[in-house]
mmCIF file of all heavy atoms in Angstrom:
data_model
loop_
_atom_site.group_PDB
_atom_site.id
_atom_site.type_symbol
_atom_site.label_atom_id
_atom_site.label_comp_id
_atom_site.label_asym_id
_atom_site.label_seq_id
_atom_site.Cartn_x
_atom_site.Cartn_y
_atom_site.Cartn_z
ATOM 1 N N ILE L 293 20.411 30.968 -25.565
ATOM 2 C CA ILE L 293 21.533 31.839 -25.890
ATOM 3 C C ILE L 293 22.586 31.767 -24.773
ATOM 4 O O ILE L 293 22.262 31.850 -23.582
ATOM 5 C CB ILE L 293 21.056 33.298 -26.055
ATOM 6 C CG1 ILE L 293 20.142 33.412 -27.266
ATOM 7 C CG2 ILE L 293 22.247 34.249 -26.184
ATOM 8 C CD1 ILE L 293 20.793 33.055 -28.587
ATOM 9 N N GLY L 294 23.844 31.596 -25.190
ATOM 10 C CA GLY L 294 24.971 31.658 -24.272
ATOM 11 C C GLY L 294 25.941 32.725 -24.734
ATOM 12 O O GLY L 294 25.741 33.372 -25.777
ATOM 13 N N PRO L 295 27.029 32.941 -23.973
ATOM 14 C CA PRO L 295 27.976 34.014 -24.323
ATOM 15 C C PRO L 295 28.550 33.903 -25.730
ATOM 16 O O PRO L 295 28.704 34.923 -26.419
ATOM 17 C CB PRO L 295 29.072 33.865 -23.253
ATOM 18 C CG PRO L 295 28.385 33.197 -22.105
ATOM 19 C CD PRO L 295 27.368 32.287 -22.709
ATOM 20 N N ASP L 296 28.875 32.698 -26.176
ATOM 21 C CA ASP L 296 29.498 32.542 -27.497
ATOM 22 C C ASP L 296 28.550 32.954 -28.611
ATOM 23 O O ASP L 296 28.919 33.718 -29.523
ATOM 24 C CB ASP L 296 29.948 31.096 -27.702
ATOM 25 C CG ASP L 296 31.113 30.714 -26.793
ATOM 26 O OD1 ASP L 296 31.780 31.634 -26.295
ATOM 27 O OD2 ASP L 296 31.325 29.512 -26.580
ATOM 28 N N ILE L 297 27.294 32.425 -28.565
ATOM 29 C CA ILE L 297 26.323 32.766 -29.606
ATOM 30 C C ILE L 297 25.997 34.254 -29.563
ATOM 31 O O ILE L 297 25.882 34.916 -30.609
ATOM 32 C CB ILE L 297 25.042 31.925 -29.448
ATOM 33 C CG1 ILE L 297 25.360 30.438 -29.640
ATOM 34 C CG2 ILE L 297 23.973 32.371 -30.438
ATOM 35 C CD1 ILE L 297 24.149 29.529 -29.461
ATOM 36 N N ALA L 298 25.832 34.790 -28.342
ATOM 37 C CA ALA L 298 25.497 36.214 -28.211
ATOM 38 C C ALA L 298 26.560 37.087 -28.853
ATOM 39 O O ALA L 298 26.247 38.080 -29.522
ATOM 40 C CB ALA L 298 25.335 36.559 -26.730
ATOM 41 N N GLU L 299 27.834 36.726 -28.681
ATOM 42 C CA GLU L 299 28.916 37.507 -29.268
ATOM 43 C C GLU L 299 28.931 37.385 -30.789
ATOM 44 O O GLU L 299 29.143 38.376 -31.504
ATOM 45 C CB GLU L 299 30.257 37.037 -28.694
ATOM 46 C CG GLU L 299 31.453 37.848 -29.181
ATOM 47 C CD GLU L 299 32.751 37.394 -28.558
ATOM 48 O OE1 GLU L 299 32.727 36.451 -27.736
ATOM 49 O OE2 GLU L 299 33.799 37.981 -28.897
ATOM 50 N N GLN L 300 28.673 36.190 -31.315
ATOM 51 C CA GLN L 300 28.701 35.962 -32.760
ATOM 52 C C GLN L 300 27.638 36.764 -33.495
ATOM 53 O O GLN L 300 27.880 37.282 -34.593
ATOM 54 C CB GLN L 300 28.525 34.472 -33.053
ATOM 55 C CG GLN L 300 29.706 33.608 -32.656
ATOM 56 C CD GLN L 300 29.414 32.132 -32.828
ATOM 57 O OE1 GLN L 300 28.440 31.756 -33.491
ATOM 58 N NE2 GLN L 300 30.234 31.284 -32.218
ATOM 59 N N ILE L 301 26.438 36.860 -32.897
ATOM 60 C CA ILE L 301 25.345 37.531 -33.616
ATOM 61 C C ILE L 301 25.063 38.928 -33.078
ATOM 62 O O ILE L 301 24.102 39.592 -33.507
ATOM 63 C CB ILE L 301 24.058 36.681 -33.602
ATOM 64 C CG1 ILE L 301 23.569 36.442 -32.169
ATOM 65 C CG2 ILE L 301 24.288 35.359 -34.300
ATOM 66 C CD1 ILE L 301 22.280 35.616 -32.100
ATOM 67 N N GLY L 302 25.898 39.401 -32.132
ATOM 68 C CA GLY L 302 25.799 40.779 -31.680
ATOM 69 C C GLY L 302 24.605 41.090 -30.812
ATOM 70 O O GLY L 302 24.014 42.165 -30.946
ATOM 71 N N LEU L 303 24.254 40.182 -29.905
ATOM 72 C CA LEU L 303 23.120 40.425 -29.006
ATOM 73 C C LEU L 303 23.540 41.320 -27.846
ATOM 74 O O LEU L 303 24.706 41.315 -27.432
ATOM 75 C CB LEU L 303 22.569 39.104 -28.474
ATOM 76 C CG LEU L 303 21.922 38.186 -29.508
ATOM 77 C CD1 LEU L 303 21.502 36.864 -28.868
ATOM 78 C CD2 LEU L 303 20.713 38.866 -30.154
ATOM 79 N N PRO L 304 22.613 42.092 -27.287
ATOM 80 C CA PRO L 304 22.956 43.018 -26.199
ATOM 81 C C PRO L 304 23.134 42.323 -24.845
ATOM 82 O O PRO L 304 23.563 42.972 -23.889
ATOM 83 C CB PRO L 304 21.759 43.977 -26.172
ATOM 84 C CG PRO L 304 20.628 43.167 -26.715
ATOM 85 C CD PRO L 304 21.228 42.257 -27.746
ATOM 86 N N ALA L 305 22.758 41.047 -24.736
ATOM 87 C CA ALA L 305 22.931 40.280 -23.489
ATOM 88 C C ALA L 305 23.502 38.916 -23.841
ATOM 89 O O ALA L 305 23.235 38.378 -24.926
ATOM 90 C CB ALA L 305 21.605 40.128 -22.751
#
Side-chain angles (χ1 to χ4, degrees):
I293 294 298
D296 291 341
I297 297 178
E299 183 178 0
Q300 290 174 15
I301 61 179
L303 294 176

